[in-house]
Amino acid sequence: MTLEAYARERTQYRARVMAHKKNRTIHLGEHLTLIFEDELTVRYQVQEMLRVERIFEEEGIQGELDAYNPLVPDGRNLKATLMLEYPDLEERHKRLQDLIGVEDKVWIRVEGHEPVWAIADEDLERDNEQKTSSVHFLRFELSEDMARALKNGAGLAIGVDHPSYTARQETPPNVRSALAKDLS
């Protein structure tokens, strides 16, 4: 949408996207959240970036699309934004030091299949020897059998197995159903 059209529609559009994200969000413990992306969530992020940065020229718009389009699943994978959430600044600084490599320790497991480990941060490195980032982008590649099982109602577990942070969550039916729709 143009910036003007988006300004008119933003309140309703945002409400629609936030409701949509509720079916695509998993909390692993108190401090790690995964939001599984799709075309609508990515479109919203692009619109927000264009709005905040006041981008209206074709070249700038294309740059935002090029940056965010890789987050849209392609029918054989699931893609997620991982957020490490520590409101206290001192605690966040310490925990981001402790959690180096956490993005590589996230997995999903379709019932009856082996876990699939995340492929993280394909666009750029988000950690260094001192700390990890509080935001990472993950891709989970599923086999045809896994995709079929998930679309047919198989359970889906999601977890993280890092020496400094472990959690596991069975996805609720609404989230599992939403993610299955991402698969072809």
Side-chain angles (χ1 to χ4, degrees):
M1 288 184 254
T2 64
L3 292 178
E4 296 82 9
Y6 187 62
R8 286 190 301 274
E9 302 294 325
R10 184 173 182 256
T11 301
Q12 298 86 353
Y13 189 68
R14 185 177 191 286
R16 180 175 148 227
V17 172
M18 293 304 116
H20 180 75
K21 281 186 174 187
K22 285 182 181 178
N23 292 324
R24 305 184 69 78
T25 301
I26 291 290
H27 299 283
L28 293 174
E30 285 185 56
H31 302 287
L32 193 151
T33 300
L34 292 173
I35 299 177
F36 285 87
E37 306 292 354
D38 69 354
E39 188 273 333
L40 180 61
T41 66
V42 171
R43 181 183 299 266
Y44 171 72
Q45 187 62 38
V46 169
Q47 287 289 173
E48 284 293 303
M49 292 304 295
L50 297 177
R51 175 183 166 273
V52 168
E53 295 182 13
R54 302 265 186 242
I55 298 171
F56 57 88
E57 293 177 349
E58 192 171 319
E59 183 178 318
I61 294 169
Q62 189 60 55
E64 293 299 320
L65 290 171
D66 291 345
Y68 285 97
N69 277 341
L71 294 177
V72 178
D74 68 8
R76 184 55 63 225
N77 54 37
L78 299 173
K79 296 186 179 181
T81 300
L82 177 155
M83 294 177 289
L84 295 167
E85 301 169 308
Y86 293 91
D88 180 77
L89 188 59
E90 287 183 30
E91 180 185 14
R92 181 181 330 130
H93 180 74
K94 170 73 172 99
R95 296 298 291 155
L96 293 180
Q97 291 174 339
D98 296 340
L99 291 170
I100 293 172
V102 70
E103 68 277 10
D104 297 317
K105 302 299 183 185
V106 179
W107 52 267
I108 65 172
R109 188 181 61 75
V110 176
E111 184 179 4
H113 297 273
E114 293 296 315
V116 174
W117 294 89
I119 300 166
D121 300 328
E122 295 177 281
D123 58 340
L124 58 101
E125 282 298 315
R126 288 189 158 72
D127 60 2
N128 57 41
E129 292 178 9
Q130 286 78 42
K131 69 176 186 69
T132 192
S133 173
S134 58
V135 177
H136 295 275
F137 300 105
L138 310 180
R139 175 170 54 95
F140 300 93
E141 285 296 324
L142 280 70
S143 70
E144 190 173 319
D145 288 342
M146 290 175 187
R148 184 174 26 262
L150 191 56
K151 291 187 328 189
N152 288 331
L156 180 67
I158 302 174
V160 58
D161 290 328
H162 185 276
S164 297
Y165 196 103
T166 58
R168 182 182 189 280
Q169 170 80 30
E170 291 292 329
T171 58
N174 62 315
V175 174
R176 188 180 65 238
S177 176
L179 298 183
K181 290 176 185 171
D182 291 345
L183 303 169
S184 53

